[in-house]
Amino acid sequence: MSRLSGILWSLLFLAVPVLGVATFAVAPAYDIWLPKDVSEHGKAIDGLFYFILALTGVVFIATEVLLFWFLWKYDAARNKNAATYIHGSHTLEVVWTIIPAATLLFLAIYQMNTWADVKMRRPAMSPSVEVVGRQFEWRLRYPGRDGTLGTADDLFLVNDLHVPADEDFLVQLKSMDVLHSFFLPNLRIKQDAVPGMKIPVWFKATETGQFDIVCAELCGWGHYKMKGRVTVESRADFDRWLESQYAKQEATQPEPDPSTAVARAE
Amino acid sequence: MKTITQRPFAGLFAVTFGLASLVGCGKTPPAYFRPNMVEATKQRLSAEQEKQVSTILLAMFGTPDEPVCLPETGLDEAKLRLAAGPVRSDVVGRKNGLYREHCAHCHGITGDALGPTAAFLNPYPRDYRPGVFKFKSTERADKPTHADLVKLLHNGVPGTSMPSFALLPAAQVEALVEYVKYLSMRGETELALMRAYFELDDDAQGKLPESREFLVDETLTPIAEKWKAAADARIQVPPMPADIDLVASIAKGKELFYGDKANCVKCHGVTGLGDGQANDYDDWNKAIVEIGKELASGSAKARETSTAGMSPEELAEHRAQLAWLEKFGKVLDGDALHPRTIPPRNLRMGVYRGGRRPLDLYYRIHAGINGAPMPAAKGTIPPEDIWHIVNYVRSLPYEFDGELGADRPMLVRDRF
Amino acid sequence: MSTVTSPSTVHHEHAAAHAPHQASFLSTYVFSKDHKVIGLQFLFSTLVWFLIGGLLALAVRWQVAWPWSDVPVLGKLFAQEGGQMAPEFYTMLFTMHATVMIFLVIIPILAGAFGNFLIPLMIGADDMAFPTLNMLSYWFMWPAFIAFGASFFVEGGAASSGWTSYPTLSTNIASSPGSGWGQTLWLLGLTMVGVSSMLGSVNYMTTIILMRAPGMTMFRLPMTIWAMFITAILQAFALPVLTAAGFMQLADRTLGTGFFSPEGNIVNNWMQSTGGGQPLLWQHLFWFYSHPAVYIMILPAMGMVSDILTTFARKPLFGYRPMVYSVAGIAGLGFIVWGHHMFMSGMNPALGVTFMVSTMMIALPSAVKTFNWLGTVWGGRIQFTTAMLFALSFVSMFIIGGLSGIFMAATPVDIFIHDTYFIVAHFHYVLFAGTAMGVWAGIYYWFPKMFGRTMNEFWGKVHFFLTFLFMNGTFFTMHILGAVGFPRRLADAYHYETFHHLQPLNAFMTWCAIGMVASQAIFAVNFFWSMFFGPIAGRNPWNANTLEWTAPSPPGHGNFDFQPVVHRGPYEYSVPGVEKDHLMQTDPPNAAAAALAAAH
């Protein structure tokens, strides 16, 4: 029994790398993986993710398999040799200190450029939109025809962000009340909205489509409700949409037969 | 050497652990509509009478899980079934239980604004039961149209906790609007039934007639008719002249704003910050305040009344009155939200609860706000003047250096 | 022989108390100053809170898997809504789950239970340097127990702004129901826990420095003690910052100060009257403590695992000095990485670069430790006891937790995975699959010393197997969920169509979580049964070599029969030329005498 139990326990530890790798390998087939990336810098971020995944994957498999192997081989019930009386190996310590240190340092330095691109090198342009997080919605304000935020021709919307494709887009992010976080999964963008601060967020969307805006910082009981939608469309469509929204905002007459229009929208 | 163990403590913990694990097995009862206890107590209904109302309502409107709607209501039962019921937890992309998923925790399962979150919101969520709605395109005393409610769900109510549901599929929005109307009609029916006891003559022996004629034709149908008539009660809005001189219009609007006819500054303040006055209530809160006053004076009177020299009948009545006062006090604690004043809107913020279109502001000024102290300008101020006021109000947030008041919080002060 | 210290002088008061053994029930069992009793008081209290924290987690998992469904047990509280949980209640659940687990379970069980019980025994002292302070450090936990427990029942409910308690959600009373009384009680409870820890850390540092047995040099200390020592230093330096921050937040909430509230902050249509503060200030202060806190929450477990692995591999620890330096390195570096919790916070992005470098580097000492553990197991004679299985799984799971940390250290990748389940996976792997496994290893290993009986090995292995299985089932796929971008702290993630297809996976994870909590019943029964009816253990049932195993099981007053004198380092197993496969630390220097001693 004790011979068998050692084998079984070793195999249990072998299951860790096997099932671990299997889970990661199988997940994309079930559509449980990184969401579609439609931003310019997203490629760099995803690339870094995969690079780290490969690196940690190799270390994971190596260390876990080694652990399994040692448990299998040195099981006292099956291995009658005395244990090796050794207090360590100076060489090994040096090797397995220097190599990880160098790898980690390399990893850190390798990523600095991408970080700077996303968070430090702001494009020289005035904000395309102001996004204000509020319990529990995203209030948007486009600068309107005069291109300046804070004037009477601003366009006010809620939760419905439109972005022209293939253009630099600069968001001025604020919060009206508590911390929120402006998370666009498909654009690989995340930035906390801090009350009292105006934080610039920029990106370039490369594909059209409709994607989520998610609040990624606990902001109260309605944190899960702070769903927004970002629509990436061509510049022409974007301009058309902006005009139509503006016309709606300035409406002085009711819409013709609105209940039918809603039913038609189904 | 004395050994030290913690066996006594160990035993105690083992027992506690064992007992604790036995706690709380059993199924939760299904959701139920909460009766309007404030009204029931106000009308001094007996327990049998409250039960009768509940039974009638059950027959006419069903339960939160199984709604029923009579054809007289004009509601679409299929849409109600979509909105009603528990949120089905085994199917994602679920289509049932919409109301409970999106609305119930603020508005309450009964639509009575007594959901668990409601007390912490400022302003309180809407209580549908009186059938009064603030932001619509119809005349003051009329119901909102179907389209008004759809628009409200789309836009949310900016400046409050009511979110925008624009990202919900249109069919789900329709179902929710239908369910809101259902809850409102149910609430109004409940109020009508509870008030009807007062009108009964002695033959009825304190029981309402359970005839179709009384319940449907006399009680439900008038309520439903008002809802159906909403589409015809829309405010006729004359167009704003296309060639209007905005600057002149704003100047004229300012004159009217400060003038005696419109007298906007009385509430909205000469600053436009909403600091003209601070101690009025909207109808929902006013009702509770009135009841509170009545209770306070009733209690004072009851305390002062000497029971000496009272006949047995008088004594019984006195005691009943004391019991009723105590019951009502408890009902106010448990079944009503603590009243809050309603500040006049701070017009410098650029936040407009009913919508920011010029059209929406026209509606607000023309019809006032139903349920709130904002009066109707209809009849007092001619339409073109209302447009001038609208233009002035829209310019208010930008009056200082063209910057939105909300961006300059110290200017805005603490009124929203 | 000369003595390094003279315990009897330090403990004259204790020695005097020896004479009359008619101590009252209260002073023996309740307000005891004996470190072993205090250690067990901590153990029992924290195990109870472990259960409570686990049940809170199950309620969280239930909502994640089946939002708005009828919750078992709690559903009765929500009867009017058909058993459906209110969303603010969900925020209270995960806030208190984390708070309880961190402050009432992990930190006190490591330092308060194991630290208290083991430190004097493993260094050869008869008690702590300050027994009264020790007793106080336990009793200061009770106001915290009451504060956190009561917070669910006050108006507005328990704290609901996360265990991280970020302003302005936590400071503005109108922002959330739990930000009223619940948050105030939370802050008070936290202060009490902080005081308890600080009292403990002062005691541990003094005891380890001053009260080691003769011959017990610093580099003969077992890794458990090194870890406890360095953890105590971490606590002493980091806690004051948290306590100060806690007071500042209390002041903001009750005295109208504005440390963390910006001007014109309007929440839920109530404006705070003061301003001029910054929400980010709290984050810096909080994480300055809470990052070292996570090392406080793992280093003792690492130390215990080192001791357990060596005992059941019958081999010395591979790289003892590098291991000690690594622990010190983790602690030291731990003070300069706090900003990695704040990469997205809005702090100056240039800090994202500096903290990325320091955070990457802190992976290094952990890697060195992992390699040394592998080196310890290599070439051994491995006995698969329950304690060994838990210790091995610590290593195996810590590899996962540590490697997943590298993803977050990479700031560009953190843009995507911050505040997603990837983070949840990481910390549950290091804290639960890591530390909690280490704690169970420690319980199975030192149970004989604590109670004089061994726990049942068969049921221990069943407990291990089920826990290991269900734990991985619950937490491993959280890495994948994080890769999807599945956010944390959402009462209903399926509000987003993009996450609809993840519901079956979440349901699977919840079933695993339920299985995992249910499996702990086996441990609970084994623990209490063995305490009364388990087989009597001798002094050294595991044939281990450290000092505590020379004392009786359980040790009495004064711990040792006679003053131990240390002649060799820890982990002297399978010494060549010696018949017995281990030498105690007290065994005299030459082998013949060792064989003679072994013959007793």
Side-chain angles (χ1 to χ4, degrees), chain C residues 266-433:
Chain C
I266 304 161
V267 183
N268 199 11
N269 288 334
W270 299 114
M271 184 192 284
Q272 278 195 281
S273 49
T274 42
Q278 289 233 30
L280 283 182
L281 177 61
W282 165 267
Q283 292 185 40
H284 281 291
L285 294 173
F286 178 83
W287 286 115
F288 188 84
Y289 162 74
S290 296
H291 193 82
V294 313
Y295 297 118
I296 290 169
M297 289 193 279
I298 199 161
L299 291 178
M302 285 179 164
M304 299 196 301
V305 161
S306 294
D307 286 359
I308 296 168
L309 284 179
T310 49
T311 302
F312 295 112
R314 313 311 292 166
K315 257 193 80 191
L317 186 67
F318 199 92
Y320 173 81
R321 284 208 187 207
M323 285 292 243
V324 173
Y325 298 142
S326 297
V327 172
I330 291 172
L333 280 171
F335 275 104
I336 56 168
V337 296
W338 81 89
H340 67 231
H341 300 274
M342 296 170 62
F343 284 147
M344 305 304 133
S345 67
M347 70 175 179
N348 188 330
L351 291 174
V353 174
T354 58
F355 280 115
M356 169 158 68
V357 175
S358 56
T359 307
M360 285 288 185
M361 295 323 291
I362 205 168
L364 178 64
S366 302
V368 167
K369 288 186 80 70
T370 308
F371 298 140
N372 277 303
W373 283 319
L374 288 176
T376 305
V377 173
W378 163 80
R381 284 207 78 222
I382 297 166
Q383 299 166 356
F384 289 103
T385 58
T386 309
M388 180 58 159
L389 287 168
F390 275 107
L392 287 170
S393 79
F394 175 96
V395 178
S396 171
M397 301 289 101
F398 177 70
I399 290 173
I400 299 176
L403 289 176
S404 63
I406 295 179
F407 288 83
M408 300 151 213
T411 29
V413 178
D414 192 51
I415 295 176
F416 185 71
I417 60 176
H418 173 67
D419 237 275
T420 64
Y421 264 75
F422 203 97
I423 313 289
V424 180
H426 165 72
F427 63 68
H428 279 101
Y429 261 91
V430 282
L431 283 178
F432 189 79

Side-chain angles (χ1 to χ4, degrees), chain A residues 31-32 34 64 74 76 81 83-85 87 93 104 108 111 115 135 176-178 190-192 194 212 216 227, chain C residues 168 175 265-266 314 319 344 349 372 379 381-382 396 410 415-416 418-419 480 483 495 497-498 501 572-573:
Chain A
D31 196 25
I32 308 182
L34 292 171
E64 300 281 5
Y74 300 105
N81 298 330
T84 313
Y85 180 74
H87 285 94
E93 299 289 347
L104 291 165
Q111 300 187 68
W115 175 251
Q135 284 182 330
M176 202 180 272
D177 42 31
V178 296
K190 183 180 287 140
Q191 175 57 54
D192 283 6
V194 184
D212 290 324
K227 171 176 155 178
Chain C
T168 49
S175 62
N265 187 235
I266 304 161
R314 313 311 292 166
M344 305 304 133
N372 277 303
R381 284 207 78 222
I382 297 166
S396 171
I415 295 176
F416 185 71
H418 173 67
D419 237 275
I480 318 271
H495 204 62
E497 287 82 29
T498 29
H501 66 296
E572 291 300 293
Y573 298 106

Side-chain angles (χ1 to χ4, degrees), chain A:
Chain A
M1 179 58 202
S2 61
R3 293 177 66 91
L4 183 63
S5 75
I7 292 172
L8 291 176
W9 292 125
S10 312
L11 289 175
L12 180 71
F13 284 97
L14 182 62
V16 171
V18 169
L19 290 177
V21 171
T23 312
F24 272 79
V26 154
Y30 287 88
D31 196 25
I32 308 182
W33 197 239
L34 292 171
K36 179 174 174 180
D37 164 48
V38 298
S39 73
E40 194 182 52
H41 67 256
K43 288 154 201 33
I45 291 180
D46 285 1
L48 282 167
F49 180 86
Y50 285 118
F51 181 68
I52 295 174
L53 185 64
L55 191 67
T56 52
V58 163
V59 174
F60 171 63
I61 295 170
T63 45
E64 300 281 5
V65 168
L66 264 182
L67 181 66
F68 151 73
W69 177 238
F70 294 158
L71 295 178
W72 176 275
K73 187 160 175 209
Y74 300 105
D75 173 8
R78 291 180 295 125
N79 180 350
K80 297 302 172 192
N81 298 330
T84 313
Y85 180 74
I86 182 171
H87 285 94
S89 154
H90 189 69
T91 316
L92 268 180
E93 299 289 347
V94 168
V95 166
W96 67 39
T97 305
I98 300 281
I99 295 182
T103 313
L104 291 165
L105 204 56
F106 164 75
L107 207 53
I109 295 171
Y110 179 60
Q111 300 187 68
M112 289 181 186
N113 198 41
T114 309
W115 175 251
D117 271 340
V118 181
K119 294 279 181 172
M120 294 166 80
R121 297 186 186 128
R122 175 166 138 192
M125 56 191 282
S126 61
S128 322
V129 75
E130 180 187 76
V131 174
V132 180
R134 179 183 177 270
Q135 284 182 330
F136 298 102
E137 55 196 7
W138 298 103
R139 305 205 71 84
L140 314 172
R141 185 154 61 118
Y142 282 91
R145 293 184 184 119
D146 66 355
T148 318
L149 274 173
T151 51
D153 71 344
D154 290 351
L155 175 64
F156 292 82
L157 293 161
V158 179
N159 291 343
D160 187 17
L161 179 69
H162 283 239
V163 173
D166 298 310
E167 284 180 32
D168 281 328
F169 194 79
L170 179 65
V171 171
Q172 178 169 280
L173 186 64
K174 290 162 69 171
S175 166
M176 202 180 272
D177 42 31
V178 296
L179 287 175
H180 299 275
S181 190
F182 187 60
F183 180 30
L184 306 175
N186 298 84
L187 288 154
R188 308 295 191 259
I189 283 288
K190 183 180 287 140
Q191 175 57 54
D192 283 6
V194 184
M197 288 175 80
K198 256 191 245 193
I199 300 173
V201 179
W202 58 92
F203 53 85
K204 189 189 275 192
T206 52
E207 263 181 64
T208 57
Q210 289 192 333
F211 312 102
D212 290 324
I213 304 177
V214 181
C215 180
E217 182 60 56
L218 179 67
C219 50
W221 57 264
H223 174 50
Y224 71 99
K225 270 187 176 186
M226 271 184 79
K227 171 176 155 178
R229 182 171 55 206
V230 54
T231 306
V232 182
E233 51 195 357
S234 67
R235 169 46 79 167
D237 284 340
F238 174 76
D239 286 337
R240 252 195 303 272
W241 170 82
L242 213 57
E243 280 303 316
S244 76
Q245 288 297 329
Y246 196 74
K248 279 200 197 131
Q249 183 180 280
E250 300 300 308
T252 55
Q253 285 295 304
E255 284 141 8
D257 211 4
S259 56
T260 323
V262 168
R264 280 202 208 114
E266 286 185 40

Side-chain angles (χ1 to χ4, degrees), chain C residues 24 80 188 241 313 447 459 517 577:
Chain C
S24 69
Q80 224 254 301
L188 292 172
V241 179
F447 187 95
W459 288 109
V517 175

Side-chain angles (χ1 to χ4, degrees), chain B residues 119-169:
Chain B
F120 301 103
L121 301 178
N122 182 24
Y124 291 135
R126 181 59 57 239
D127 174 356
Y128 309 133
R129 296 173 303 178
V132 173
F133 293 83
K134 286 186 175 178
F135 306 119
K136 54 202 173 61
S137 62
T138 54
E139 297 292 349
R140 190 189 186 98
D142 293 309
K143 300 283 185 233
T145 64
H146 185 87
D148 284 336
L149 292 175
V150 170
K151 193 171 206 341
L152 200 128
L153 285 192
H154 269 265
N155 293 346
V157 180
T160 70
S161 298
M162 173 69 186
S164 155
F165 287 99
L167 299 182
L168 275 187

Side-chain angles (χ1 to χ4, degrees), chain B residues 45 58 69 85 124 145 182 304 343 373:
Chain B
L45 299 186
L58 183 65
C69 74
Y124 291 135
T145 64
Y182 160 83
E304 281 157 24

